[in-house]
Amino acid sequence: MNEQTLSMRLERVAAHVPVGARLADIGSDHGYLPVALLRRGAIAAAVAGEVALTPFHAAERTVRESGQAQRITVRLANGLAAIEPGDGITAITLCGMGGETIRDILDSGKAHLSGQERLILQPNGGEQPLRQWLMDNGYRILCEEVLRENRFDYEIIVAERTGPVVYSAEELYFGPLQIQARSPAFLVKWQRMLRVKQKTLSHFGRARQAVPEDKVQEIARQARWITERLA
């Protein structure tokens, strides 16, 4: 993967960035996503934010070599602190981190959100607590998808702040739009997850030390939900 050939995962993320957006790519790594989008004329400008020095320098190098330094600003900053008021950001991408990490970045960086931005989030697991945060903060989920790449299942969640929204516990677990769409990738992912849950329950049953009952009940409930959704 490079700034000209994105991974399938980042291509799907790129597809949800509005044309002409001013993008903040937080945790930008090598800066491939903003560079690719600018090269395609898909966005107007971008900020690439990184908290660690090595990827920060890698992003600087990618941007410099692409000739896009006039329109992509690379900043060393923690999370949304990479965004400054004058940036006029209209879309934020957060990709390749755990859902809890993305949630924590959004929560601790609320002061940097205008509420007008589109959030394009690609968590590596932990989707449920991330959706919970979106609901709690008035963000409606506009689009969701599941894709499989390199033997991993990835989810993309696109949200905008619209005011109060209520999702059920099951919608937070599976994704409110994914429950309805039931795409082939969604079904395959949850078939795999069901096997994992059943294996976990089997291990609990054979465990020498007692597993807390609430933990057993939670896994059993998830297995029941998945079974019902796959029916």
Side-chain angles (χ1 to χ4, degrees):
M1 183 175 75
N2 55 44
E3 70 277 14
Q4 291 171 311
T5 310
L6 297 176
S7 65
M8 180 170 70
R9 174 178 62 90
L10 283 184
E11 280 292 357
R12 293 311 307 149
V13 168
H16 293 290
V17 177
V19 174
R22 298 182 66 85
L23 175 70
D25 185 35
I26 306 300
S28 195
D29 198 13
H30 285 71
Y32 292 153
L33 180 63
V35 168
L37 285 169
L38 258 172
R39 276 197 160 140
R40 297 170 189 179
I43 58 174
V47 171
E50 251 308 332
V51 70
L53 268 174
T54 300
F56 167 72
H57 289 311
E60 278 192 319
R61 188 166 56 251
T62 301
V63 170
R64 187 173 61 249
E65 290 174 357
S66 74
Q68 302 283 2
Q70 293 292 313
R71 295 165 76 192
I72 302 177
T73 305
V74 184
R75 293 195 184 120
L76 184 66
N78 190 358
L80 301 188
I83 299 172
E84 296 179 359
D87 296 329
I89 295 301
T90 60
I92 297 173
T93 45
L94 281 148
C95 307
M97 301 167 238
E100 291 95 339
T101 301
I102 295 176
R103 174 200 63 194
D104 293 347
I105 288 171
L106 290 170
D107 200 56
S108 62
K110 276 184 186 177
H112 300 278
L113 292 170
S114 70
Q116 304 303 306
E117 313 91 343
R118 169 174 288 196
L119 304 181
I120 303 119
L121 314 172
Q122 185 272 295
N124 293 351
E127 297 88 4
Q128 186 179 15
L130 178 54
R131 289 191 191 99
Q132 181 75 52
W133 185 92
L134 292 170
M135 180 178 79
D136 291 345
N137 288 274
Y139 283 86
R140 180 174 296 279
I141 295 171
L142 305 178
C143 185
E144 297 180 292
E145 59 180 280
V146 182
L147 63 101
R148 189 161 178 83
E149 185 175 49
N150 299 330
R151 297 184 299 119
F152 289 100
D153 293 306
Y154 295 107
E155 294 201 20
I156 297 168
I157 301 170
V158 182
E160 291 179 4
R161 193 186 290 172
T162 59
V165 59
V166 178
Y167 296 121
S168 69
E170 279 192 72
E171 287 176 321
L172 292 172
Y173 186 67
F174 293 103
L177 305 180
Q178 302 212 58
I179 280 180
Q180 296 169 25
R182 289 170 56 87
S183 70
F186 171 85
L187 295 173
V188 170
K189 171 187 172 164
W190 288 104
Q191 284 161 357
R192 245 188 307 273
M193 290 297 290
L194 180 59
R195 290 194 291 273
V196 171
K197 301 296 178 188
Q198 290 169 335
K199 207 170 187 178
T200 302
L201 288 170
S202 176
H203 285 320
F204 285 170
R206 296 197 303 272
R208 294 190 177 184
Q209 291 177 310
V211 178
E213 184 60 24
D214 59 344
K215 189 171 185 181
V216 176
Q217 289 301 322
E218 178 59 23
I219 300 294
R221 182 176 67 153
Q222 292 171 1
R224 190 170 64 250
W225 279 353
I226 298 169
T227 302
E228 289 167 358
R229 288 293 158 194
L230 293 175

